[in-house]
Amino acid sequence: MIEPLVATVGVLFPDTRGPLVAARAAELRVSENTVLAQLRAFWRGGLTRDALIPNFAGRGKAKTFKPDSLPRGRRPDDERYSIYAVKDKDVESIKKSIKKSYLSIDFTTINGAYQRCMEDCYSYRDATGRRVILPAGERPTLRQYRYILQKHFPKDQVIRYKEGDKAFEQNHRGKLGSVMDDCLGVGHIYEIDATIADIYLVSSAPDSRHKIIGKPTLYLIIDRWSRLIVGFHVSLESASWAAAMQAILSIAEPKDQLCARYGVRYDPADWPADGLYPGVFLADRGEMLSYASDSIPGIGTQVKNLPADRPDWKPIVEGNFRQQQVKLADATAGYHPPKNAHKRRGKKYHLDASQTMKEFTYQWIQRIIAHNKGPILAYPLTPTQLANGTRPIPREIWVAEAPRRAASLSRFSYQVVKSALLPRNNFTVTDAGIAVGECLYTSPELEAAGWFSRARRKTFKVEVAYDPRLCDTVEVRFPESPTGRVTAHLTPAVCHFSGMSFAEISAYAKMRTRMVSDMKDARLQNESDFHDTVDPITEQARAERKEQSRGKARSARRADTKEEREAERRKQRLEEARTDAPFPGASSNVVPFPSPGVVATAQTESGAIPDTLPAPPELGNNKPNNAAQPDSRPLSPVQKMLMEKRNRIKDGNWDLPGR
């Protein structure tokens, strides 16, 4: 490039150098600056060819801000301060401040993080202890702070730090693919999800349409490939396995019976996927994860639970909720727009509620039918579909693609699907019945097989399928049955649970547990009160026994047990007799025992006990009470016993205390 120029003397003089360089640059079709740069390098390097070798040692070296380097950037317009030269230590301080005050807190702004950085790194305390920020020119500016943020922290990294990876993947990532990429055709993937409907309903009880019962829960099941709605459920249940189970069951439910129940005109063409189940159910990490996280046994359908906060992985069903409800907005009373939820002093749409659950379900079925036979203008038809003339209508796409997928589609009856969907677990068989939580179950088949008699010796486990909504019956695995299972019912001991759900029974069990816990405390206190009452008596009796037994042998305490027992029994009888006697003046129709004096007069002179007693004085006559009346009544055994005791007392053979 410069060999012809350095060979001439004219290139050494400024007046002639310019035209020579311009002519050489035009000849080589390069810029004049390029030629001049090579000339300078040649002259600066000692007029040798090696001077033209690039400065490899200086290339790739990190740029550093030297303390004595001149500041970069334009000067401020008002020239109040000089430009601050950012040094390496300033970059490190600002990067630490960005991580601490900006990236780690999702609601912090750049201005707020800059303020914290200035307070932490570019301030001092004056004599009064007040923090003083360094003046402009002695600290980095906000523009320099923002420049370091943008240079060292890419935008996607900032979003991931502040909002999280899930939010970035959902709202900020590049969307280069399609949900159709991993779908093999119709019936391969069904998307299932639930939402709260944007409509208020009223009670269906007679004369109760003015009572609002709130918003229903909607479940939708949509085929990903054809956009066909294959199943649904409308209820007042929260999003749960019980509601999801009904939505899955709706696929197998005969659609003619469904339409007849709600008064909808039935056309088989509107339900081309009736009874057909997919290869994969795509669901949230919610109710499907709890009961069927891998597959639904019995129908062979795999269940895939998506990561949390990733609705973009099942966009078909997510988008259809919004689309179908918006189309129902002008046809329903009590529709509540989502934008009104957080609107200040918004309109009270719930006061317009007029429809019952059955009426809304009727409208929802009509909306599903309209969707299945309505065109989807944005549907990505494949070249094959375009060549075959397939229109972008869900039911037509299904009918056109179903023959190709016939080997992968499975049809099941309602009862088979219901049995497969019921949650299953192993429960203990006891002599009182099969214990499922607080409930006990039995059946004639199990009793005839001797299950409960065998459980008296040793309990064992058995697989039980149950409906969480109703505890009346369960299905027990029983190999001896032709179907492999039998239906068991509640035993008489727990029949009071009939009609309840297992959640209600669990709630009652918790109430009983709390009550028993409280009663345990009350029982302890009650026993303590009892001991406070009886312990003094016991201690006093023990002290008196020790006092009266002093100097006597312990073995002699039982020497007169029989006599002492008889004496104590006689004493107790007399005390009870005195207690039972009527008080003076009380009327009684009981004939009293004769007094000891009367019994004594009836004795003979020899002390023998006669067989008869004088009759007691008659009531109401004028004879004295002590007048003996002749009577030939025989003596009763009790009277003979009393007379015998009287003789023994007279002879001194019976010790009566207090006599």
Side-chain angles (χ1 to χ4, degrees):
M1 181 183 297
I2 63 174
E3 185 176 6
L5 296 178
V6 299
T8 61
V9 181
V11 75
L12 301 176
F13 300 98
D15 296 339
T16 58
R17 185 188 306 130
L20 291 174
V21 171
R24 183 59 178 168
E27 180 182 355
L28 299 176
R29 295 183 179 181
V30 297
S31 66
E32 297 178 12
N33 291 334
T34 302
V35 177
L36 288 173
Q38 298 296 339
L39 282 173
R40 293 191 188 97
F42 180 74
W43 290 332
R44 186 170 56 246
L47 303 179
T48 63
R49 295 177 64 88
D50 292 342
L52 300 178
I53 297 175
N55 184 17
F56 293 108
R59 295 188 178 185
K61 186 177 181 180
K63 295 181 180 180
T64 59
F65 297 107
K66 298 181 179 180
D68 54 351
S69 63
L70 295 176
R72 275 81 172 167
R74 63 179 180 83
R75 296 182 60 82
D77 296 336
D78 54 3
E79 299 184 357
R80 291 185 296 107
Y81 58 90
S82 59
I83 299 176
Y84 181 80
V86 178
K87 308 173 183 62
D88 290 341
K89 64 177 183 180
D90 297 317
V91 175
E92 295 301 323
S93 299
I94 292 175
K95 288 169 63 176
K96 291 181 180 179
S97 175
I98 290 172
K99 292 180 180 179
K100 175 184 177 182
S101 303
Y102 183 66
L103 298 181
S104 62
I105 306 176
D106 55 352
F107 54 82
T108 303
T109 62
I110 296 180
N111 290 349
Y114 173 74
Q115 174 69 28
R116 290 292 184 181
C117 180
M118 296 300 104
E119 294 174 358
D120 295 340
C121 304
Y122 299 94
S123 63
Y124 65 92
R125 296 283 181 177
D126 60 9
T128 62
R130 176 173 172 266
R131 181 167 54 195
V132 180
I133 305 295
L134 294 178
E138 299 181 19
R139 55 176 170 82
T141 62
L142 177 61
R143 185 183 182 89
Q144 291 170 327
Y145 184 90
R146 194 186 299 270
Y147 171 78
I148 295 174
L149 169 65
Q150 296 173 354
K151 180 178 181 181
H152 295 278
F153 299 93
K155 186 65 176 177
D156 58 343
Q157 184 180 358
V158 173
I159 296 175
R160 287 182 183 273
Y161 265 111
K162 295 183 72 67
E163 299 185 21
D165 293 336
K166 294 179 181 178
F168 177 84
E169 295 294 337
Q170 178 180 344
N171 302 319
H172 303 284
R173 65 177 175 87
K175 299 179 181 179
L176 305 178
S178 171
V179 294
M180 306 287 284
D181 296 340
D182 58 348
C183 187
L184 302 179
V186 296
H188 177 213
I189 298 177
Y190 282 1
E191 297 182 7
I192 178 173
D193 198 16
T195 189
I196 304 298
D198 298 330
I199 181 174
Y200 285 94
L201 302 180
V202 298
S203 174
S204 59
D207 301 328
S208 299
R209 197 175 285 265
H210 62 285
K211 297 180 180 179
I212 300 174
I213 61 174
K215 297 180 178 180
T217 300
L218 300 179
Y219 264 91
L220 272 185
I221 304 178
I222 300 181
D223 176 60
R224 170 172 285 189
W225 183 270
S226 64
R227 310 297 198 267
L228 184 77
I229 298 179
V230 297
F232 76 99
H233 183 57
V234 183
S235 69
L236 296 177
E237 299 280 349
S238 301
S240 59
W241 172 249
M245 182 177 66
Q246 291 299 318
I248 298 174
L249 275 174
S250 68
I251 301 175
E253 183 178 6
K255 299 304 182 293
D256 54 346
Q257 300 179 11
L258 174 68
C259 293
R261 186 163 66 249
Y262 291 98
V264 179
R265 187 182 65 84
Y266 172 68
D267 184 0
D270 296 332
W271 313 92
D274 187 15
L276 296 176
Y277 279 83
V280 177
F281 268 118
L282 212 58
D284 286 330
R285 296 179 63 85
E287 57 276 7
M288 298 292 284
L289 178 65
S290 301
Y291 292 96
S293 58
D294 297 326
S295 63
I296 300 178
I299 63 176
T301 299
Q302 184 181 3
V303 178
K304 289 186 178 180
N305 293 280
L306 300 179
D309 300 328
R310 293 307 304 271
D312 54 312
W313 283 17
K314 48 179 179 57
I316 308 302
V317 66
E318 294 283 354
N320 260 275
F321 279 126
R322 176 66 177 165
Q323 295 173 9
Q324 305 307 327
Q325 291 193 82
V326 168
K327 294 178 180 178
L328 274 176
D330 58 347
T332 57
Y335 177 78
H336 185 265
K339 65 180 182 180
N340 190 67
H342 302 287
K343 187 177 180 181
R344 184 179 180 183
R345 303 184 70 177
K347 182 179 178 181
K348 298 180 180 179
Y349 289 94
H350 61 278
L351 299 180
D352 298 331
S354 305
Q355 293 175 295
T356 63
M357 173 68 74
K358 187 173 183 179
E359 293 169 348
F360 176 72
T361 305
Y362 169 84
Q363 291 182 325
W364 190 247
I365 295 176
Q366 294 288 10
R367 184 64 253 164
I368 291 174
I369 294 175
H371 167 82
N372 287 345
K373 64 181 181 181
I376 302 176
L377 302 181
Y379 184 84
L381 289 171
T382 63
T384 303
Q385 291 173 329
L386 290 172
N388 294 335
T390 303
R391 297 189 299 175
I393 297 176
R395 68 180 188 180
E396 294 187 10
I397 296 174
W398 180 280
V399 172
E401 296 288 331
R404 183 174 64 87
R405 294 278 302 164
S408 302
L409 298 177
S410 302
R411 189 185 302 275
F412 298 95
S413 65
Y414 183 85
Q415 292 299 330
V416 170
V417 177
K418 181 179 180 181
S419 177
L421 288 174
L422 291 177
R424 301 170 183 272
N425 207 338
N426 292 329
F427 295 97
T428 304
V429 179
T430 67
D431 57 345
I434 302 174
V436 181
E438 301 294 323
C439 298
L440 298 172
Y441 292 91
T442 184
S443 72
E445 295 85 354
L446 301 181
E447 294 177 8
W451 278 26
F452 307 114
S453 300
R454 180 156 54 101
R456 290 183 64 88
R457 297 187 297 271
K458 184 179 180 180
T459 61
F460 56 93
K461 297 282 188 178
V462 66
E463 184 183 75
V464 177
Y466 60 95
D467 190 342
R469 301 166 300 172
L470 187 64
C471 71
D472 289 2
T473 59
V474 295
E475 293 186 0
V476 183
R477 187 175 181 275
F478 188 62
E480 289 79 2
S481 174
T483 60
R485 60 183 182 273
V486 295
T487 300
H489 54 82
L490 292 171
T491 63
V494 293
C495 61
H496 52 274
F497 288 143
S498 179
M500 297 184 183
S501 66
F502 283 96
E504 292 175 313
I505 297 173
S506 178
Y508 287 128
K510 291 180 180 179
M511 293 171 59
R512 183 174 63 252
T513 301
R514 289 195 297 267
M515 182 181 296
V516 170
S517 298
D518 296 339
M519 291 299 101
K520 288 181 179 179
D521 297 339
R523 183 175 63 180
L524 291 175
Q525 184 60 44
N526 186 46
E527 293 297 323
S528 176
D529 295 341
F530 168 74
H531 290 157
D532 284 344
T533 304
V534 302
D535 284 351
I537 299 176
T538 304
E539 294 298 330
Q540 181 180 359
R542 187 179 290 115
E544 292 180 0
R545 188 260 306 168
K546 290 181 178 180
E547 179 67 23
Q548 296 176 10
S549 300
R550 187 173 294 127
K552 298 179 181 179
R554 292 178 58 87
S555 59
R557 296 187 61 191
R558 300 192 62 179
D560 301 327
T561 301
K562 183 176 181 181
E563 291 76 5
E564 295 296 331
R565 179 181 179 86
E566 289 295 333
E568 191 68 24
R569 182 165 55 185
R570 180 174 54 82
K571 176 183 176 182
Q572 181 182 1
R573 286 175 177 175
L574 292 176
E575 290 179 352
E576 290 177 353
R578 293 193 186 98
T579 304
D580 295 340
F583 57 88
S587 61
S588 175
N589 59 355
V590 179
V591 178
F593 285 118
S595 63
V598 176
V599 177
T601 57
Q603 299 179 20
T604 61
E605 294 296 334
S606 61
I609 301 175
D611 294 333
T612 60
L613 281 176
E618 296 182 1
L619 298 178
N621 57 14
N622 297 326
K623 297 180 180 180
N625 293 335
N626 57 357
Q629 300 294 330
D631 194 358
S632 60
R633 291 182 302 136
L635 292 176
S636 66
V638 176
Q639 292 171 336
K640 290 183 178 181
M641 182 186 66
L642 292 175
M643 294 181 68
E644 181 180 357
K645 290 181 179 180
R646 180 67 177 176
N647 293 336
R648 295 179 63 183
I649 294 171
K650 184 177 180 180
D651 297 338
N653 296 330
W654 201 289
D655 184 15
L656 285 178
R659 300 285 285 180

